[in-house]
């Protein structure tokens, strides 16, 4: 459903989006053809802006279906040009929906699978970004992210590569992948090696509130990928509130992967009302039938967020963005300009 004019104009921020998870069916087809992959997997059959994938009723079934589609779609990426095109394509769509700032979760491991070194991947992403920024003014930073289920040794490698190849747009280190693999402590060396000013970690999505606690205690993060399952433990909620924690909430992702069955069960509104510094993210938008604009729309339609509350969500995100103070101030001015309307 298209956004109404007022919602379209509202400045939005996407703090949680995996770059490869933004590839559209049309782009996947284009890359498959360009890279000489004669038989693009059936999953790539275009269906509007999102992929269709099959899941059974269980959360695990949803995850398997999603990962199969994800692998098929991202498997068509072969070159630096592909990274540039995907970045530009996503940022163009996001900006058209009023997104002023995005933090791209990027993966040196995935770049390597495509056949690019980490610096080559960064260079390609930056080219796509530069083009999008010239057109729309959208701003980005990147979160170099290790994949948990590849293990602590591989994560440490990613941390070191990140450290050894500093880039002005890479300001944070993160942890994604299977939340039940290893422990948070196993990944502290990777964060330490990266030695970046900011940290985030996926926690409290597939696994329960204890992972949120350990991400905070062990990795010292204040921003959390998802964090939604913190709601299951009042003590963890109180601890999170005490540090003014910032959840990166991705409603459509949680629904698609079966973390919640209905909007009524989802804790987005409870988080906001509890005074947590809620932000929104599209996660892997084309796999979850969403976009950052759609996430704001869902917050409004299904969780009763007013325009003022949505603007507060955007303000939260910019206040907690992994960005330098001059850029933060500039972005906050764009939010203030909307308020002044
Ligand atoms: Zn994620």
């Amino acid at each position: 459903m298209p956004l109404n004019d007022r919602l379209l104009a509202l400045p939005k921020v996407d703090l949680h989006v995996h770059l490869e998870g933004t590839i559209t069916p049309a782009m996947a087809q284009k890359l498959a053809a360009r890279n000489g992959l004669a038989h693009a997997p059936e999953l790539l059959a275009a269906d509007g802006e999102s992929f269709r994938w099959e899941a059974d009723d269980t959360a695990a079934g949803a995850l398997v279906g999603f990962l199969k589609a994800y692998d098929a779609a991202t498997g068509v990426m072969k070159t630096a040009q592909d990274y540039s095109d995907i970045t530009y394509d996503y940022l163009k769509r996001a900006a058209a929906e009023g997104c002023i700032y995005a933090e791209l979760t990027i993966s040196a491991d995935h770049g390597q699978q495509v056949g690019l070194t980490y610096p080559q991947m960064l260079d390609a992403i930056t080219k796509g970004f530069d083009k999008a920024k010239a057109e729309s003014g959208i701003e980005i930073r990147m979160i170099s992210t290790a994949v948990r289920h590849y293990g602590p040794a591989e994560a440490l490698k990613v941390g070191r590569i990140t450290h050894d190849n500093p880039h002005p747009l890479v300001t944070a280190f993160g942890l994604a992948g299977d939340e039940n693999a290893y422990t948070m402590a196993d990944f502290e060396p990777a964060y330490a090696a990266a030695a970046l000013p900011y940290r985030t970690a996926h926690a409290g999505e597939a696994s329960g509130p204890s992972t949120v606690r350990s991400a905070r205690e062990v990795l010292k993060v204040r921003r959390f990928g998802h964090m939604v399952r913190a709601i299951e433990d009042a003590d963890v909620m109180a601890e999170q509130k005490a540090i003014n924690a910032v959840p990166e909430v991705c409603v459509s992702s949680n629904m698609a992967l079966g973390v919640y069955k209905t909007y009524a069960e989802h804790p987005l509104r409870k988080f906001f009302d509890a005074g947590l510094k809620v932000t929104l993210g599209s996660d892997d938008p084309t796999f979850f039938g969403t976009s950052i604009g759609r996430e704001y729309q869902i917050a409004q339609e299904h969780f009763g967020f007013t325009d003022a509350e949505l603007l507060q969500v955007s303000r939260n995100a910019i206040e907690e963005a992994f960005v330098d103070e001059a850029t933060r101030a500039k972005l906050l001015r764009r939010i203030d300009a909307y308020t002044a309307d």
Side-chain angles (χ1 to χ4, degrees):
M1 197 185 311
L3 309 187
N4 66 42
D5 287 349
R6 185 151 182 89
L7 193 52
L8 196 62
L10 190 134
K12 301 169 193 71
V13 181
D14 195 350
L15 282 193
H16 189 124
V17 56
H18 301 257
L19 180 57
E20 296 88 5
T22 69
I23 187 168
T24 61
M27 178 62 74
Q29 291 287 2
K30 180 178 145 182
L31 300 189
R34 189 162 80 193
N35 294 326
L37 304 173
H39 301 289
E42 237 172 83
L43 282 162
L44 304 188
D47 176 23
E49 289 209 330
S50 293
F51 292 99
R52 236 175 325 174
W53 44 272
E54 304 294 330
D56 60 31
D57 285 345
T58 66
L63 190 63
V64 169
F66 161 61
L67 289 175
K68 260 173 81 179
Y70 196 85
D71 285 348
T74 57
V76 302
M77 295 174 65
K78 299 291 175 201
T79 68
Q81 184 68 48
D82 299 349
Y83 260 103
S84 290
D85 289 355
I86 287 163
T87 305
Y88 169 73
D89 194 46
Y90 162 69
L91 293 175
K92 184 182 169 182
R93 279 179 284 131
E97 288 188 323
C99 185
I100 61 170
Y101 177 78
E103 268 171 21
L104 305 178
T105 290
I106 58 160
S107 163
D109 290 305
H110 194 266
Q112 198 177 21
Q113 286 158 19
V114 169
L116 301 180
T117 65
Y118 175 71
Q120 285 169 337
M121 179 182 77
L122 291 183
D123 195 46
I125 295 169
T126 304
K127 280 201 182 96
F129 162 58
D130 285 344
K131 189 175 163 198
K133 185 176 178 174
E135 290 177 8
S136 67
I138 193 167
E139 190 58 77
I140 67 161
R141 290 298 182 270
M142 293 183 247
I143 303 168
S144 178
T145 298
V147 181
R148 277 185 89 120
H149 51 270
Y150 292 170
E154 182 59 30
L156 180 58
K157 244 193 253 173
V158 174
R160 288 189 176 136
I161 289 171
T162 303
H163 174 267
D164 294 345
N165 299 276
H167 188 284
L169 296 178
V170 178
T171 53
F173 197 73
L175 188 60
D178 181 358
E179 278 179 25
N180 294 304
Y182 305 95
T183 68
M184 292 293 180
D186 293 327
F187 298 98
E188 172 55 27
Y191 282 83
L196 287 169
Y198 297 109
R199 296 176 169 205
T200 181
H202 284 60
E205 178 200 18
S207 57
S210 65
T211 56
V212 173
R213 179 179 276 150
S214 62
R216 184 188 68 247
E217 289 180 350
V218 178
L219 301 178
K220 311 289 183 216
V221 303
R222 251 191 75 236
R223 247 180 66 180
F224 299 79
H226 299 288
M227 199 184 110
V228 282
R229 292 191 56 196
I231 199 79
E232 295 166 24
D233 186 321
D235 291 339
V236 171
M237 281 294 281
E239 292 159 12
Q240 293 299 94
K241 182 72 177 70
I243 63 158
N244 203 16
V246 182
E248 304 157 9
V249 180
C250 310
V251 174
S252 293
S253 164
N254 296 156
M255 302 293 288
L257 294 180
V259 182
Y260 300 102
K261 295 259 181 291
T262 64
Y263 289 123
E265 292 168 47
H266 194 286
L268 172 63
R269 184 81 228 182
K270 289 196 187 90
F271 271 20
F272 190 84
D273 290 346
L276 286 169
K277 217 164 174 188
V278 167
T279 70
L280 292 174
S282 62
D283 209 4
D284 300 291
T286 53
F287 296 88
F288 301 142
T290 195
S291 65
I292 190 58
R294 176 71 186 136
E295 292 302 293
Y296 275 70
Q297 187 182 41
I298 287 169
Q300 187 142 81
E301 286 179 357
H302 296 281
F303 296 88
F305 280 65
T306 63
D307 287 349
E309 286 171 338
L310 289 178
L311 202 64
Q312 183 61 47
V313 166
S314 294
R315 190 180 302 278
N316 289 347
I318 297 300
E319 284 176 0
E320 300 298 338
F322 296 150
V323 80
D324 59 277
E325 295 311 315
T327 306
R328 191 188 319 282
K330 208 166 124 190
L331 290 164
L332 284 172
R333 279 199 294 277
R334 289 190 69 179
I335 291 177
D336 291 339
Y338 177 83
T339 321
D341 278 352

